Amino acid sequence: MQIQPTPLSDIYDIRLSYSLERFPKVFVRSPKLVQPADDPIPHRYGDDSLCLYLPGSGEWDRRMLLAETIIPWASEWLYFYELWLGTGEWCGGGHGSPKPNESESEHTRSKSCPAYPR
């Protein structure tokens, strides 16, 4: 399947892997994701699938339609990936530990980061 996050974005060929026994996984088949220098690409799992939500958190469950959740989330991830390539800052939020003196909302999305165009 091909998706393009914005009219100025690359067109990405993605593969969605899903079965009722497992959580859905999205892989970018092409173009190859770029990893500048030694800076690892943020928010990916060890198998190179995209980290779109935190499994078990209730953000996604099997009653939700993939076309209304996982596919748009993959497009949003790719949008933030392209911003990260240009700025070096991951603007897509995510899970992890905030820095000392940083609230969770500040940690998940910087005020300097643009919002995803919907």
Side-chain angles (χ1 to χ4, degrees):
M1 155 186 330
Q2 292 186 328
I3 58 177
Q4 184 178 24
T6 74
L8 299 176
S9 295
D10 282 334
I11 297 172
Y12 294 89
D13 183 27
I14 63 168
R15 179 174 63 91
L16 173 63
S17 175
Y18 177 63
S19 71
L20 292 177
E21 295 80 34
R22 299 176 189 255
F23 290 107
K25 291 186 172 216
V26 175
F27 300 89
V28 177
R29 296 164 49 129
S30 69
K32 184 175 175 18
L33 298 180
V34 177
Q35 180 176 325
D38 292 329
D39 201 8
I41 299 171
H43 297 282
R44 287 199 315 171
Y45 292 109
D47 62 1
D48 290 336
S49 63
L50 308 183
C51 177
L52 304 175
Y53 63 94
L54 183 63
S57 68
E59 292 174 305
W60 184 86
D61 67 50
R62 289 175 173 79
R63 296 174 299 213
M64 297 175 173
L65 298 175
L66 298 175
E68 293 179 357
T69 55
I70 300 301
I71 301 302
W73 293 348
S75 183
E76 186 175 33
W77 188 99
L78 289 164
Y79 170 77
F80 289 119
Y81 162 75
E82 290 179 347
L83 285 176
W84 172 76
L85 283 178
T87 66
E89 182 177 1
W90 184 261
C91 295
H95 301 280
S97 300
K99 296 174 190 164
N101 302 321
E102 179 181 45
S103 73
E104 182 62 23
S105 63
E106 289 171 328
H107 170 67
T108 58
R109 185 156 301 169
S110 166
K111 291 179 180 79
S112 65
C113 291
Y116 179 68
R118 296 187 194 243

